[in-house]
Amino acid sequence: MIFFNDEKSKKLLNLLKQSKQDFRFDPANLKAQLIQDISARRQTVFHPVRMRIWHTFEYGVALAAMVIFVSATFVFAGNSQPGDRLFPISKLSEKVILSLPLTAAQKARVQTQIVTKRLKALNDIDNSGNTKILETVRESDESLSNAIETVSVKRDDFQAAGNTKAAEPLNEVLGQLENLASEHEQRVEIIRQKMEDKDVQNEIDGHLQQIKHAKRKAMQELRHEEQQNNDSQD
Amino acid sequence: MPLTEADIQKLVKQAQQQDAEAFGRIYDQFARPLYNFLFSKLGHKEVTEDLVHTVFLKAWQNLGSYHPRQSAKFSTWLYQIANYTLIDHWRTRKPSVELTAVENLSQFAEDPKFYEEYEYLWIALSELPLPYQTVLDLRFKQDMSVTETAQIMGKSEIGIRVLQHRALKALKDKLKERL
C-alpha cells in the first residue's frame, strides 16, 4: 500500500479535515414527527430463542468448516450468488473458512476460489435486475482487491523474512489472480456497455476501474518478483 | 453536551423497552452528524430530512435486534443504517441536485463564507463515485477508524484501506492544480 507522505497528499488530508462543517438543520422539527411516528409503531421484539437458533447455526457453520478443513477439501455453502437471499450465509461460510488456522498458501487458494466463484456469478447475471447486477459487480471487485492485496502482503512478508519457499506458491496464486482479474475486467466491461441507466453505468465504471487497478497491482507484484529473481542470478 | 458511549448504551437499553423519550435523546445526540453525512451527498434539504427520518425509524424498529459489542459503538450501527439507506436512495432515484450545481450548497451551510472557501473541494468530492465519497467522509470528516468504517460500509479492513487509497488518489487527480 502506497502511503500519502508527500506534501500535496498531506495538504489534501488537511483540507478534508478542515472542510468538515455543519449544514443548517432544525432537529426539533424532525424530532416531533419522528416521536409521533415511533409511538404508532412497534419495535421488532427481541427473541432469545431465535438468538439461540442463530448462534447454533453459526456454531454449526464453524463446525462444518472445521470438518472441511480436516478433510482438506474446500466446499462452499450452497450455490448462492450476490443478490440472492441466501448469499449472506454463503459469504459468512467463506469468512469462517478464511478465519480457520490455514497456511498462507491454503488461504490464498481459498481466496482464488472465491474470486472464481464471483466470476461465475458475473457470467450468470445476463437477465437480472440492476440491483443484483450492481451487487454482483461490487462483490467481484471486492473479492479481487482483497485477494490480491492479502496475497501480496503475505508474499512480501515471507520474502522480507527470507522465506522464499513459502513465498513461491503465493507467486503462483498471484499469477492466477492476474488472469482472473483480466476475465473479470472483460465481463464487467460487457455488462457496463449493456446498461441503459447512466447512474448504474457510472457505478459499474467505478468498480471496473478498481478491477483494472487490482490487475495492474498483481502484474506489478509479479514483475517486481521477476526482476528480483533476475538480479539475484546476475 | 455529548454523551459517553456508556450513557448511550443505557439509553439504548431503555429505548429497547419502548421508551420513546430515551430514543428521543439518542436522536438528539446523532441527528445532526447523520444529517451532515447524508446532506453532503444528496444536496437537497427535504430529501435529506426524509432520509434522516427513515434512518431513525429503521433504528427504532430494529432496536430489538441490536446487541452491544465491545468492538463497535452504537453510532457504528446507526451509520450502517444511514449508509445502506443512502445507497438504496442513490440507486432508485437520481441525485436531487445536479452535480455541477453543488455551489448552491453554500446556502445550506451554517457558515456560507466558510463553505465558499472549500467550494472547489466539495465540487471535486461530489464528482467521485458514492463509495469514494462515503469512505472519505467517514474517515476524515466523521473521524471514524478503519475498523468502524469497515463495519459501516460492510467491507473488510483491507477493503477500506484499498478504497481509501483509491478515493484519495482520485480526489488528488481532480485537484492537482489546486494542491
Side-chain angles (χ1 to χ4, degrees), chain A residues 154-171:
Chain A
K154 205 65 204 171
R155 188 208 56 180
D156 290 348
D157 286 347
F158 282 140
Q159 282 175 338
N163 191 348
T164 47
K165 196 175 167 193
E168 191 44 46
L170 299 187
N171 281 326

Side-chain angles (χ1 to χ4, degrees), chain A residues 30-220:
Chain A
L30 209 59
K31 186 177 178 181
Q33 182 62 47
L34 178 70
I35 299 298
Q36 200 178 342
D37 284 348
I38 67 174
S39 302
R41 288 167 200 254
R42 290 175 61 82
Q43 287 175 358
T44 305
V45 178
F46 174 58
H47 280 290
V49 172
R50 275 189 210 149
M51 271 307 297
R52 278 205 293 276
I53 290 169
W54 176 247
H55 276 314
T56 306
F57 174 74
E58 281 185 314
Y59 295 143
V61 168
L63 184 62
M66 284 297 296
V67 170
I68 287 163
F69 167 64
V70 166
S71 66
T73 308
F74 299 107
V75 177
F76 298 102
N79 294 318
S80 301
Q81 292 183 343
D84 293 346
R85 220 166 41 89
L86 295 180
F87 179 69
I89 297 173
S90 186
K91 223 176 156 183
L92 174 65
S93 70
E94 291 169 4
K95 283 186 180 162
V96 167
I97 290 170
L98 282 171
S99 67
L100 293 171
L102 308 172
T103 64
Q106 284 173 326
K107 274 194 185 169
R109 280 193 282 274
V110 169
Q111 283 188 298
T112 308
Q113 287 179 12
I114 293 172
V115 170
T116 306
K117 253 183 88 180
R118 299 293 188 265
L119 178 61
K120 184 180 179 308
L122 278 175
N123 289 327
D124 289 345
I125 54 166
D126 267 324
N127 298 317
S128 303
N130 284 350
T131 306
K132 181 162 176 160
I133 288 174
L134 279 171
E135 194 173 332
T136 307
V137 169
R138 187 177 63 233
E139 289 289 340
S140 151
D141 166 18
E142 191 178 295
S143 68
L144 259 176
S145 302
N146 285 348
I148 290 172
E149 179 68 24
T150 310
V151 172
S152 305
V153 165
K154 205 65 204 171
R155 188 208 56 180
D156 290 348
D157 286 347
F158 282 140
Q159 282 175 338
N163 191 348
T164 47
K165 196 175 167 193
E168 191 44 46
L170 299 187
N171 281 326
E172 287 170 26
V173 169
L174 267 176
Q176 289 165 10
L177 286 172
E178 189 200 336
N179 292 335
L180 281 168
S182 291
E183 291 185 69
H184 277 245
E185 183 189 338
Q186 283 167 24
R187 184 64 193 139
V188 170
E189 181 61 60
I190 292 169
I191 292 167
R192 188 187 75 96
Q193 283 169 10
K194 284 184 181 171
M195 291 290 115
E196 287 171 0
D197 185 324
K198 244 191 161 319
D199 293 333
V200 172
Q201 239 194 15
N202 285 341
E203 193 170 334
I204 291 177
D205 195 52
H207 289 295
L208 183 59
Q209 298 313 313
Q210 291 169 23
I211 289 168
K212 286 180 180 178
H213 177 86
K215 183 176 108 173
R216 270 197 304 272
K217 182 169 170 68
M219 279 167 61
Q220 279 163 6

Side-chain angles (χ1 to χ4, degrees), chain B residues 63-74:
Chain B
L63 260 182
S65 59
Y66 168 77
H67 302 285
R69 287 182 287 163
Q70 278 208 321
S71 55
K73 297 189 271 199
F74 177 74

